[in-house]
Every structure is written in C-alpha cells, then in structure tokens.
Amino acid sequence: MHTFQPYPIDLLEMNPFTKFRKEWALVTAGSKAKCNTMTISWGGVGVLWNKNVVYVFVRDSRYTKEFMDQGDFFSLSFFEEKYRPALNYCGANSGRGEDKFEEAGITPAFRHSIPYVDEANLVMLCRKMAAVPITEDTFNDKAITKDFYKDGDLHTMYVGEIIEAMAR
Ligand SMILES: Cc1cc2nc3c(=O)[nH]c(=O)nc-3n(C[C@H](O)[C@H](O)[C@H](O)COP(=O)(O)O)c2cc1C
C-alpha cells in the first residue's frame, strides 16, 4: 500500500490536454464490496458551480457506468508510463466477467470509502455533482453522430467536485 500526500489543488501543475489525451487515466467507482475501473482519455478539469471539478464521459455499454450511477463518488487515477500495459488492459476488457484489477495487476485502495488505484501517482477523489446524458439533438456538428455514435452507444458526462487530490 502506497502512502499518498495531500496535493493542494491550487498547486497542481498539469497540462490537461496531454494528461488525458496522451497519458490517460483510470476512472474508478463503487464500494469496498464491489468496484470497477476503466481507462479514459476524454475528459478534463475546470471550474463549475463554484467548484473545482473533473468531467469524464462514460458510454452506456461500460460496466463502470453502473457503479458511476449507483454511487455518489468516483475517482480519477493517473500513472507513470510503466503502467501503460495496465491502462491498455483496463481499456480493452470489461470487469463484468472478471476481477479487472487482478487481471491488470493493479490494486484497489480506498479513502473516505472512495475507490482509487494504489499504483497511481496522482489521484483525484470526486463527489458526483451531475450525470448529464449526451444526446444527439444537442450536436451542432452533425459529424459527431457519424464519427462517434453510429452504434447508438452514447456517453453520459459526469461532473465531479474534486474533494481531495493526493499524490506520491
Ligand atoms: C485509451 C483509451 C481511452 C478510452 N476512453 C474512454 C472514455 O473516455 N470513455 C469511455 O466510455 N470509454 C473509454 N475507453 C473504453 C473503455 O475503457 C473500455 O470499453 C473498457 O473495457 C470498459 O470497461 P468496463 O466495461 O469494465 O467498464 C477507452 C479505452 C482506451 C484504450
């Protein structure tokens, strides 16, 4: 079990474009009894409703979505490059039929009962503020449907208040 230090959000220096698009993250939700994690590369951080927030996009088909919908909290975990195989695994396999943490060689850990990944080097613990279904009627750019939703597997945008960031 790794020891994390609190990371004051005002001191956080990161490029959100490379952080999400290139480095990727694991979004983890659920409880000590059962949780799941999946790789994401779409999302961001910012300010909304006077809170420091993250926003992530989870398709209907993801097992992780069930945990995002059931619970009030989730986390984002970011990693050193050496964990790329684990991120690849969690982005290509569903936790529906297996213990994905074990198969990927990573360890679920909990703070305030919120699941995150122990091997991460930066973790954001989040309180779910809103779950916003992304619907096709909101697209001004009609190419979005063609390029990303031909199979009807739509995203829900989850906005989470960052209640604690921690790093090691
Ligand atoms: C690099 C990468 C980025 C991904 N980004 C997202 C994303 O932002 N949203 C999403 O719904 N799925 C994304 N996925 C796909 C899910 O991680 C993948 O379908 C996963 O197996 C779902 O697992 P689950 O069914 O256990 O939740 C991404 C996959 C990879 C490899």
Side-chain angles (χ1 to χ4, degrees):
M1 196 70 117
H2 292 105
T3 304
F4 286 81
Q5 305 294 331
Y7 198 154
I9 207 83
D10 290 348
L11 301 182
L12 191 63
E13 280 186 17
M14 66 174 214
N15 180 328
F17 299 99
T18 53
K19 203 76 185 160
F20 283 85
R21 184 191 278 274
K22 295 196 174 140
E23 292 183 30
W24 313 340
L26 289 179
V27 57
T28 308
S31 65
K32 283 185 184 165
K34 182 88 182 130
C35 58
N36 197 56
T37 193
M38 67 170 240
T39 304
I40 58 159
S41 61
W42 290 5
V45 292
V47 179
L48 184 63
W49 302 314
N50 286 343
K51 306 289 190 195
N52 297 319
V53 299
V54 304
Y55 49 94
V56 296
F57 300 85
V58 180
R59 287 192 197 261
D60 293 338
S61 61
R62 311 307 189 217
Y63 184 45
T64 305
K65 185 171 187 297
E66 297 180 20
F67 296 90
M68 295 291 282
D69 289 337
Q70 280 161 20
D72 293 324
F73 299 91
F74 64 92
S75 70
L76 289 192
S77 301
F78 299 90
F79 298 84
E80 292 169 49
E81 182 58 30
K82 72 175 177 182
Y83 290 102
R84 183 75 67 180
L87 290 170
N88 272 317
Y89 188 89
C90 293
N93 296 275
S94 181
R96 269 201 185 83
E98 63 179 45
D99 181 340
K100 211 159 139 178
F101 293 94
E102 195 175 332
E103 297 296 328
I106 52 175
T107 318
F110 297 85
R111 179 159 169 77
H112 310 309
S113 299
I114 307 170
Y116 65 94
V117 179
D118 185 56
E119 287 78 6
N121 61 5
L122 172 65
V123 174
M124 295 175 186
L125 302 175
C126 304
R127 177 180 69 89
K128 189 172 72 178
M129 295 185 79
V132 186
I134 306 287
T135 55
E136 292 181 33
D137 56 303
T138 63
F139 299 153
N140 289 330
D141 180 348
K142 296 304 173 198
I144 298 173
T145 298
K146 179 170 66 67
D147 291 346
F148 298 103
Y149 301 111
K150 271 203 293 247
D151 59 1
D153 191 6
L154 293 163
H155 282 102
T156 296
M157 176 177 71
Y158 294 90
V159 180
E161 176 191 1
I162 304 171
I163 55 173
E164 202 170 300
M166 53 190 201
R168 63 179 179 90

